[in-house]
Amino acid sequence: MFDLTGMTALVTGASGGIGSAIAKALAAQGTRLALSGSNLEKLEAFKAELGGDHVALPCNLSDGAAVDQLVPQAVQALGKLDILVNNAGVTRDNLAMRMKDDEWDQVIRVNLEAAFRLARAAAKPMMKARFGRIVSITSVVGQTGNPGQANYAASKAGLVGLSKALAQELASRGITVNCVAPGFIRSAMTDVLPDAQKQALLGKIPAGDLGTGEDIGAAVVYLASREAGYVTGQTLHVNGGMAMI
Amino acid sequence: MSETADRVKKIVVEHLGVEAEKVTEDASFIDDLGADSLDIVELVMAFEEEFGVEIPDDAAEKITTVKDAIAYIDEHKG
């Protein structure tokens, strides 16, 4: 089950906490990867750590023209593209009343617009192949909202709507489009939270613990697999029960 | 019938799974041949590949009949 041998994938934000766990999970199932990220040094270091025959494709996701080149570059490097994982995301937290235009724009551009551009480009080779898997990493806050994150929550909710529309357009061609919505995941960001805040957070999670990158990687592997071919337009929530939607 | 017309019709028959007799030059992809908008996107991709032409979106939107496709390709192929 869930064997991805012979498949290829493009993963954005691949050197980050969740992105690297997703990349490792896909690679462990036999996928050959195009690892994308903004920092070439980090990407190359992660590629070396991963071993195997993967490629690094640096890209600035806030640059639309560069984003439009990423899928063609991945297809050229890998020979084909079976799986697209829109994982990259940024935050520019601020109360909505204080939020600057560029804080809004930057988050929407990287988290939502880049995902659309990549999916639009990936649909072409996937349609020809009559097979494709597009998985976008959204967030529990796209469903629940979060104070200080109007931009981020909007971008993550946007990914859900985008995926549902694409899922309907592409289902007849063997392409599925889904989201994975992490809850609170152990990362550099959550490690620095004060203990009191961490305890308050854990009180809201029935599972009693933060999630891990591996939890997200496993969800992506499932949605990318041939076995998940009848699952499309869905959001798989991986959050220890903190929100049941 | 031109060589372009033959090749265009062959692609249409293959992609839409329709009978060759139905693919007349006046046939509309959507109204006569049962294509949906996604089929048209795929047909345009197939024409681009077969003839080595690039069909930009604004031109593709104007290609609604077999004749339109043949005319565009004859005009733009190298």
Side-chain angles (χ1 to χ4, degrees), chain A residues 158-212:
Chain A
L159 283 175
V160 174
L162 168 67
S163 299
K164 288 179 180 179
L166 278 171
Q168 293 180 41
E169 290 184 14
L170 299 173
S172 64
R173 302 303 193 269
I175 302 168
T176 68
V177 190
N178 292 288
C179 290
V180 172
F184 280 99
I185 302 300
R186 188 165 291 124
S187 70
M189 218 189 317
T190 52
D191 283 346
V192 297
L193 288 176
D195 273 350
Q197 205 176 333
K198 228 182 252 182
Q199 283 312 314
L201 200 60
L202 289 177
K204 291 181 188 156
I205 304 174
D209 200 359
L210 300 180
T212 64

Side-chain angles (χ1 to χ4, degrees), chain A residues 1-244:
Chain A
M1 293 277 269
F2 315 131
D3 180 11
L4 305 180
T5 303
M7 294 225 223
T8 62
L10 168 62
V11 181
T12 65
S15 59
I18 290 179
S20 60
I22 292 169
K24 281 179 190 167
L26 289 171
Q29 296 306 109
T31 310
R32 189 162 169 244
L33 300 166
L35 306 162
S36 189
S38 51
N39 183 330
L40 179 62
E41 223 167 279
K42 268 176 80 178
L43 271 183
E44 288 290 351
F46 176 60
K47 191 180 86 164
E49 181 195 333
L50 202 55
D53 184 24
H54 308 292
V55 295
L57 296 176
C59 183
N60 173 6
L61 291 184
S62 58
D63 176 352
V67 176
D68 287 341
Q69 290 309 307
L70 190 53
V71 165
Q73 285 167 351
V75 170
Q76 191 172 20
L78 302 171
K80 60 170 188 160
L81 185 64
D82 300 301
I83 303 161
L84 165 66
V85 183
N86 286 313
N87 163 73
V90 295
T91 54
R92 297 283 185 276
D93 296 355
N94 210 340
L95 287 175
M97 290 177 69
R98 301 253 177 264
M99 192 171 283
K100 309 287 179 291
D101 288 355
D102 70 317
E103 291 171 335
W104 170 268
D105 288 342
Q106 180 70 11
V107 169
I108 297 296
R109 200 172 302 142
V110 172
N111 297 11
L112 182 57
E113 187 184 321
F116 165 69
R117 286 176 179 273
L118 293 173
R120 180 174 63 182
K124 205 169 172 177
M126 288 176 177
M127 259 170 71
K128 277 190 192 167
R130 288 287 189 272
F131 181 89
R133 298 282 183 264
I134 299 173
V135 181
S136 296
I137 308 305
T138 173
S139 165
V140 64
V141 310
Q143 304 279 331
T144 63
N146 199 25
Q149 292 197 307
N151 48 4
Y152 186 76
S155 73
K156 293 302 188 179
L159 283 175
V160 174
L162 168 67
S163 299
K164 288 179 180 179
L166 278 171
Q168 293 180 41
E169 290 184 14
L170 299 173
S172 64
R173 302 303 193 269
I175 302 168
T176 68
V177 190
N178 292 288
C179 290
V180 172
F184 280 99
I185 302 300
R186 188 165 291 124
S187 70
M189 218 189 317
T190 52
D191 283 346
V192 297
L193 288 176
D195 273 350
Q197 205 176 333
K198 228 182 252 182
Q199 283 312 314
L201 200 60
L202 289 177
K204 291 181 188 156
I205 304 174
D209 200 359
L210 300 180
T212 64
E214 287 72 34
D215 293 323
I216 307 307
V220 173
V221 164
Y222 167 64
L223 291 172
S225 70
R226 289 183 180 84
E227 287 83 352
Y230 202 54
V231 178
T232 195
Q234 303 301 311
T235 298
L236 180 48
H237 290 271
V238 183
N239 62 26
M242 72 174 282
M244 302 186 185

